[in-house]
Every structure is written in C-alpha cells, then in structure tokens.
Amino acid sequence: MNLRPRVSEEPEINVISMVDIVLVLLLFFMVTSSFVHQSHLSMQLPKAQQAAAGEPKSPITIDLSASGQVRMNKQVMSMADLTGQLKALAAKDPERVIVLRADKNTTQQYVIDVLDAAQEAGLTRISFATLSNH
C-alpha cells in the first residue's frame, strides 16, 4: 500500500490569453495615437513688440422683418440707405462684424439683398443670429 500523501496541484490561471489581449490592445492604442500626432501642425508664431490694444468694436446689428423692413442699429431705413450706411462704416473699419437678425418667415430675396449690400460695402464678416433650443 502506498501511504504517501498525494501532492495536490495548485490551481493555475492561464495568463497566455490575457497577455495576447493586452498586446493587441497596446498595439491598437499605439497605432491610433500615432495618427493623432500626425494631424497637428508644427507652427512658430511671430513675436510682436507690443500687442495691439484697442477697444473691441460693437457689431453692426441688422434686423430684417418678414415683410422686408430693414433696421440697422435700431434705425429703420431703406435698402439704398442701408448700403450707404454700410459703406460709411466700412470706410472707417472694414473688419466690422455684421449680425443679421432675420425673421424666420423672411423670404430669401430680402436676406440676399442685405448680403449684397454688405458685399458692396466691402464688409465680409457676417453672422446670423439664431435662438437656441434650450
């Protein structure tokens, strides 16, 4: 009779599969992170002796009703007057911003007329005011 105690084997966790998965994840993250670095631009910005100080100019607000009535900075005017006023403002500062607040029922033609007046005056920075859905 064999009276020696049996040697019980310790349970093992097979880590080979886990190592394979970790290596695949590591490879995936290395490849995707290299694409992120390639999309950045390497730039050197110029230096200035003194930053340009100036007051920020208020935007030119143009309200456009559904019937085509134009109001610039709370003054009602015709489309011809609007073009003249925009030309005068553009002569002082061609970088002024126009905020166009058009009624949602305004026809496209009225909006195009205001955009044409701004382009004729030389003002190209135009934004459209909207309401948020909050």
Side-chain angles (χ1 to χ4, degrees), residues 97-114:
V97 176
I98 295 176
V99 177
L100 179 58
R101 297 170 14 134
D103 188 280
K104 71 177 184 176
N105 297 318
T106 303
T107 62
Q108 266 187 329
Q109 186 59 53
Y110 295 137
V111 174
I112 297 298
D113 291 342
V114 171

Side-chain angles (χ1 to χ4, degrees), residues 10-81:
E10 293 286 324
E12 292 182 20
I13 296 177
N14 189 357
V15 294
I16 295 174
S17 299
M18 188 171 61
V19 169
D20 288 343
I21 292 172
V22 169
L23 287 175
V24 168
L25 287 173
L26 180 67
L27 180 67
F28 172 75
F29 287 120
M30 285 174 53
V31 168
T32 57
S33 68
S34 69
F35 288 126
V36 171
H37 292 299
Q38 289 178 359
S39 66
H40 292 283
L41 293 176
S42 175
M43 294 186 350
Q44 292 181 348
L45 297 176
K47 295 180 183 178
Q49 295 295 330
Q50 185 177 8
E55 295 181 18
K57 298 215 165 74
S58 61
I60 302 166
T61 305
I62 299 175
D63 297 325
L64 187 58
S65 70
S67 63
Q69 184 179 18
V70 177
R71 191 170 55 173
M72 184 178 85
N73 295 334
K74 300 180 181 176
Q75 278 188 315
V76 178
M77 60 184 61
S78 68
M79 194 59 68
D81 291 338

